[in-house]
Amino acid sequence: MTAVEYKTVDGVAVLTMNNPPVNGLGANLRSGLADALDRALSDPAVVALVLIGAGRMFSAGADIREFGQPPAEGVAILPDLIDRIEACDKPVVAAIHGVAAGGGLELALGCHIRVADSKARVGLPEVTLGIIPGAGGTQRLPRLTGVAQALDLIVSATLVPASKGRALGILDEIAEGDLETAAVAAARTAAQSGAIRRTCDQEDALADARDNPGLYDDFRTKIARRARGMRAPYAAIQCVQAAVDLPFAEGQERERATFRDLVDGDEARAMRHAFFAEREVRKIPDVPADTAIKPIERAAVIGCGTMGGGIAMNFANAGTPVTVVETGDEALGKGLETVRRNYAATVAKGRLSQDQMDRRMAAITGTTDFEAIADADIVIEAVFEEMDLKQEVFRTLDRVCKPGAVMASNTSMLDIDKIAAVTARPEAVIGTHFFSPANVMKLMENVRGKASSHETIATVMDLSAKLGKVGVLVGVCDGFVGNRMLGPYTREAKFLLEEGAWPQDVDKALYDFGFPMGPFAMLDLAGNDVGWRIRKRQRAEKPSNLRYSHIADRICERGRFGQKTGAGWYRYEPGSRTPIPDPEVEEIIVQASKEQGIARRTFTAEEIVERCLYPLINEGARILEEGIAIRASDVDVVWMNGYGFPRYRGGPMFYADTVGVGRVYERMAAFHAEHGELMKPAPLLERLAKEGGRFGAL
Ligand code: 3H9
C-alpha cells in the first residue's frame, strides 16, 4: 500500500498521507509525496493541491527512527521536498488536523495556505530531541510570526492550539465544518485568484528584529536556566537570527549544516533515547497490550499528609472525584487546607483560574470514615512508612473496598508482598510510589507484587498516563529502582566529605554535570530526619562492618534537618532556599576525617562525578540482573523523571553506554581495590565490559 492516497475533487488533487501511527515523514512517505506531486503537477486538469493526513493527525514530523541511519537512496530529503512544494506554480493547501509537529509543521509552512481543524495543535518541538527544526522551520516560521514569537515557540517546544496558531499567523483559516471540504474550497479560490503566497518571500514580519538586534541576547539570558548544558536551544536562536540576517537560501543552508552537526551528537542521541524510552516503558512483556483496564471513576486516598494531599490533587486535576480519609478531623482539616493553599498559590501565579481551582477542590471530599470509600475503583494508601500501620490499613481496605477495586500503597521502601499478604485479594494489591511533591513530579514507580494481577498492573500503568505521569513498572526490593540507586550516590558523596571535599564542591560538580541540584542541597530540600530515622533502624536491625560515615548523623543530632529547620548540610537565611556553606558543618566534617584517620585532599569535578555516578550505575546493573527493572531504559526513565538526571545525557544507563561500560567498570574496579566491598563491580557490569557490550543492547 502506498503511503499517499491520491484523488481529485473539483479539479483539486487531494494527497492523503497515510503512514500510521503518526504520519512520520520517513522515506516511504516522502517518496509517495514526491510521486503524487509529479502526478498532480503534470495533470492539466488539476488546478490546485491539498495535503491532508489520514488517521489521528497531519504529521508528527520526520521519522525519528531514521536519524543516525544512512539516507535512503533515491528519495528526496525533507527540506528539498518542502522547497519543491513551495516552488509549485499550482497553489498547495495544507489541511491540518490532530497535530502538525516538527517536520510536519515545516511541511505545512512550505505549503501556500494552511487550513486547520479547530482542535489541531501545531509546533516545532525539535529541541526536545536535541536538534533544531531542520526542514526550513527556523527560516519560515519567523517570516510568519515575527522573530520573538518564533524564538519562543521553537525554544519552548510547545504545541499551540489552532486558535493561537491563527493569531500568530501560522494558520490562515480555521475550518468550520469538514476539514477536507474547507481545504478544497480554499485551494480552488486560490487557483482562481492566480496569486501564490510563498512563505520564503515574506519579509515584513522580520522587520522588528532588524531594529532590535539585542533581542537575541535578551532571549539567551531568559532561557539560561532552562537550557543549561544544552546546545540545541542556542543553535536554534542562531538559525532564527540567520533568517533575519541572510537571504532565505543562505539561511536555509545554515540551518541544514547546524541540523547535521547536532543530529549525530551525544545530546541528540540521548534525547532520542529518552523519547523512545518513555514510550517503551509502557510495554510490559508478560502483560498483553489488550489486557482489560478497569475504569477509574472514583478514587480514594488514605492519609492527607504531604504525599496523600498531593496524590489527591492528581485525581482532582484529572477530573476524577477523590475521597481522602484521615484518622481525625484536625489532621483532615489541616491536610485539606494545605491542598487549598497549593492550588491558591498556582492561581496567584496565573497558572490556574479561580474557577478551575474551585472545581478541583470540589472534586476532593474529606472523611474520617473508611466506609465512605466503599465505591472507590482505586484506593491509594499514603500513611506513615511503617509496616504494621500499612498492614492495618490494608486489612481495613480488604473489608470495605468493593470487589474488583485496586488497592495500592504509596510506600517508597516497604515490601508490597507483605502488605498484600494481609488481604484476601493480593492480586488487587500493587505499589504506586509517587515522588514528592506528588502533584508536580512526573514519575510513578508502580511496584509489582508477586501476586499483582495483569489487570491490576495494566490499570495502574494506564492510570499513570491519565494522571499525566510516567509510570515505570518495577519489582519489589529495598528502595525499588530510584531510591536503591540513590543510596550509593549519596553514600559516596558523604565519603568524599570525609576524604577532603566540601558539600559545595560535590554539589557544584553534580550541578555542572546537569542535575538541578547536588546531593547535599537535595538532602536539605527533602529533609535529613527521614533518612536518619531509617539509618538508625537499619543499623539496629542489621549491624555491619562496612564503612559508614557518621557525618549525616552528627548533622541531624544538632537538629539540622535541612531547609525546613533553616540548617542542614548548609545554612539558610530566613525565607531563603539558597544554600550557604556553614563553618559548623565544616567543623563536623574535619572532625570526622580526623576520627577516621583520613588525610584530607582536594578532588576534581571529574573525580567527584565518577565517584558518585559510577556506583549508582553499578547498582542499576544489579537491579537489571535481578529483574527489578524490565529494561535499562526503564531505569533511565526513573532517573530522568524522578531525580533530575539530565535528559540530554539520557539517564544513568545510557550515560554509561556513552562513556563506555568498559570505562565505568575499570573505575569501579579501581574504587573496589581502594575502598573495599561497597564498591564491588556488579557481575553484569563486569560481563558487559569484558564482552564490549552495552546496557542499551541487553
Ligand atoms: C523533525 O521533524 C526533524 C525535522 O525538523 C527535520 C528533518 C530533516 N517519528 O507519542 P505517542 C511513535 S524531528 C517516529 O505515543 P501520542 C511513538 O514512538 C520530529 N516515531 O502518541 C509511538 O510508537 P510506539 C519532531 C514517532 O498520541 C507512536 O508513534 N516531532 C514519531 O501520545 C505513538 O506516539 C516531534 O518531536 C516520530 N516523529 O502523541 C513530535 N512520533 O507506539 C514527536 C511518534 O511504537 N511526537 N512516534 O511506542 C510526539 O510528540 C507525539 O508522538 C505526538 C502524539 C504529540 C505527535
Side-chain angles (χ1 to χ4, degrees):
M1 194 186 74
T2 163
V4 178
E5 290 151 22
Y6 187 97
K7 67 177 177 189
T8 50
V9 179
D10 295 339
V12 174
V14 177
L15 281 51
T16 306
M17 301 181 280
N18 190 356
N19 191 25
V22 294
N23 288 327
L25 288 151
N28 59 336
L29 181 49
R30 295 200 307 277
S31 119
L33 279 172
D35 291 347
L37 214 54
D38 288 342
R39 185 168 163 193
L41 295 180
S42 61
D43 182 348
V46 167
V47 296
L49 293 79
V50 164
L51 220 60
I52 194 165
R56 290 199 290 141
M57 64 190 75
F58 182 74
S59 168
D63 184 340
I64 304 166
R65 290 188 167 85
E66 281 186 355
F67 295 158
Q69 309 292 326
E73 264 179 50
V75 182
I77 58 169
L78 188 59
D80 290 347
L81 178 67
I82 295 174
D83 285 354
R84 208 183 138 208
I85 290 172
E86 188 171 53
C88 283
D89 51 12
K90 297 181 184 180
V92 186
V93 177
I96 301 170
H97 78 294
V99 169
L105 178 59
E106 290 174 300
L107 176 64
L109 296 178
C111 295
H112 308 126
I113 297 171
R114 287 157 293 281
V115 178
D117 179 270
S118 62
K119 294 204 192 73
R121 291 181 300 145
V122 298
L124 296 174
E126 281 88 342
V127 296
T128 58
L129 295 167
I131 52 173
I132 57 160
T138 64
Q139 306 303 298
R140 289 192 179 92
L141 189 68
R143 285 178 155 80
L144 296 177
T145 64
V147 170
Q149 297 286 4
L151 286 173
D152 236 3
L153 270 176
I154 295 172
V155 174
S156 71
T158 331
L159 299 184
V160 296
S163 52
K164 177 140 191 220
R166 172 91 181 85
L168 288 172
I170 301 170
L171 302 172
D172 299 294
E173 185 186 325
I174 309 284
E176 297 274 320
D178 177 62
L179 178 64
E180 185 182 308
T181 311
V184 167
R188 284 196 61 80
T189 310
Q192 274 154 15
S193 83
I196 289 188
R197 184 177 186 263
R198 295 188 174 86
T199 310
C200 66
D201 295 334
Q202 311 304 311
E203 290 282 316
D204 293 356
L206 303 178
D208 278 0
R210 292 205 167 102
D211 298 338
N212 180 11
L215 169 112
Y216 308 102
D217 275 343
D218 291 350
F219 192 74
R220 283 185 192 98
T221 311
K222 190 170 126 189
I223 64 159
R225 231 181 113 205
R226 235 184 321 147
R228 187 167 63 92
M230 288 187 263
R231 289 170 68 202
Y234 295 99
I237 298 171
Q238 273 182 344
C239 288
V240 170
Q241 184 166 3
V244 179
D245 296 345
L246 302 176
F248 182 79
E250 280 177 45
Q252 258 205 322
E253 258 172 51
R254 173 77 59 87
E255 178 196 81
R256 209 168 296 180
T258 310
F259 176 85
R260 273 199 297 261
D261 178 38
L262 288 169
V263 76
D264 293 325
D266 283 348
E267 178 177 324
R269 287 193 318 109
M271 290 176 100
R272 282 202 291 279
H273 166 75
F275 178 86
F276 287 117
E278 281 170 3
R279 283 155 179 83
E280 196 64 16
V281 79
R282 306 177 202 146
K283 297 168 194 157
I284 314 299
D286 69 319
V287 179
D290 59 359
T291 303
I293 288 166
K294 299 180 190 204
I296 305 285
E297 276 155 22
R298 303 197 67 80
V301 177
I302 313 300
C304 197
T306 315
M307 284 314 281
I311 295 170
M313 287 173 81
N314 282 304
F315 284 106
N317 297 350
T320 306
V322 55
T323 304
V324 187
V325 186
E326 254 301 346
T327 43
D329 288 332
E330 200 186 319
L332 183 62
K334 214 170 126 201
L336 291 177
E337 185 46 34
T338 306
V339 170
R340 177 179 297 282
R341 258 190 283 121
N342 273 336
Y343 277 133
T346 316
V347 171
K349 285 183 202 144
R351 288 203 240 119
L352 193 73
S353 70
Q354 184 61 47
D355 181 49
Q356 281 170 316
M357 167 173 164
D358 293 345
R359 262 184 281 137
R360 291 180 193 192
M361 279 309 292
I364 306 177
T365 312
T367 180
T368 53
D369 177 11
F370 265 93
E371 306 295 333
I373 62 167
D375 62 348
D377 301 302
I378 186 166
V379 182
I380 299 183
E381 163 278 309
V383 303
F384 206 64
E385 282 290 77
E386 260 171 24
M387 183 54 90
D388 292 350
L389 181 61
K390 299 224 182 232
Q391 286 180 328
E392 189 50 44
V393 169
F394 271 79
R395 274 188 205 100
T396 310
L397 294 183
D398 199 18
R399 184 170 52 75
V400 299
C401 288
K402 70 178 184 188
V406 172
M407 305 198 305
S409 170
N410 177 51
T411 181
S412 60
M413 53 182 286
L414 299 175
D415 185 340
I416 290 296
D417 292 326
K418 286 192 185 146
I419 295 174
V422 301
T423 73
R425 37 178 150 168
E427 71 285 353
V429 178
I430 191 163
T432 49
H433 178 204
F434 289 78
F435 286 67
S436 184
N439 54 319
V440 177
M441 296 295 290
K442 294 277 272 179
L443 179 64
M444 265 173 85
E445 271 183 334
N446 295 328
V447 190
R448 172 183 200 161
K450 266 205 284 292
S452 309
S453 70
H454 285 180
E455 226 181 337
T456 303
I457 293 169
T459 301
V460 161
M461 291 299 284
D462 183 67
L463 175 71
S464 298
K466 291 208 172 104
L467 297 181
K469 307 275 178 197
V470 182
V472 182
L473 192 68
V474 303
V476 174
C477 70
D478 204 0
F480 311 129
V481 170
N483 285 345
R484 177 166 160 187
M485 290 167 73
L486 187 68
Y489 172 74
T490 50
R491 180 193 73 213
E492 293 305 318
K494 291 171 199 165
F495 287 160
L496 279 167
L497 302 187
E498 277 182 350
E499 293 168 32
W502 302 118
Q504 55 272 28
D505 301 333
V506 176
D507 278 0
K508 179 168 186 328
L510 289 151
Y511 175 82
D512 288 347
F513 176 82
F515 280 97
M517 63 187 87
F520 296 108
M522 180 199 70
L523 288 168
D524 271 357
L525 175 66
N528 298 313
D529 46 333
V530 184
W532 187 33
R533 213 177 309 120
I534 296 171
R535 282 195 305 277
K536 276 198 277 196
R537 194 177 62 204
Q538 282 172 342
R539 287 175 69 75
E541 283 169 5
K542 236 200 266 171
S544 147
N545 296 326
L546 295 172
R547 182 176 172 187
Y548 180 83
S549 165
H550 292 275
I551 301 175
D553 298 342
R554 304 266 154 83
I555 299 254
C556 287
E557 282 155 16
R558 296 189 190 202
R560 304 182 66 114
F561 294 159
Q563 281 190 21
K564 60 186 172 189
T565 58
W569 293 94
Y570 297 95
R571 68 180 183 84
Y572 299 85
E573 292 293 338
S576 160
R577 291 169 173 271
T578 309
I580 305 169
D582 190 342
E584 186 180 322
V585 173
E586 292 178 3
E587 218 177 275
I588 297 174
I589 293 171
V590 170
Q591 181 62 27
S593 308
K594 225 184 260 165
E595 282 167 18
Q596 300 294 320
I598 299 173
R600 298 181 62 77
R601 69 166 178 98
T602 51
F603 288 86
T604 64
E606 190 191 0
E607 277 180 299
I608 293 172
V609 167
E610 291 194 333
R611 182 74 181 274
C612 294
L613 284 188
Y614 291 177
L616 175 155
I617 291 164
N618 195 49
E619 199 62 41
R622 290 190 201 285
I623 281 170
L624 288 171
E625 260 170 341
E626 293 168 23
I628 298 293
I630 298 170
R631 293 159 280 245
S633 60
D634 288 14
V635 176
D636 290 332
V637 173
V638 166
W639 270 80
M640 287 186 288
N641 289 284
Y643 298 83
F645 198 100
R647 201 175 169 83
Y648 63 83
R649 296 196 193 267
M653 309 320 278
F654 185 84
Y655 178 68
D657 285 345
T658 307
V659 295
V661 176
R663 163 82 187 165
V664 178
Y665 170 70
E666 204 180 276
R667 293 300 297 135
M668 279 308 297
F671 291 145
H672 184 210
E674 190 182 347
H675 301 289
E677 194 54 21
L678 287 169
M679 288 296 219
K680 190 167 185 208
L684 175 62
L685 184 75
E686 183 171 355
R687 174 166 73 74
L688 287 181
K690 294 200 166 141
E691 290 169 356
R694 294 167 45 244
F695 288 111
L698 284 175

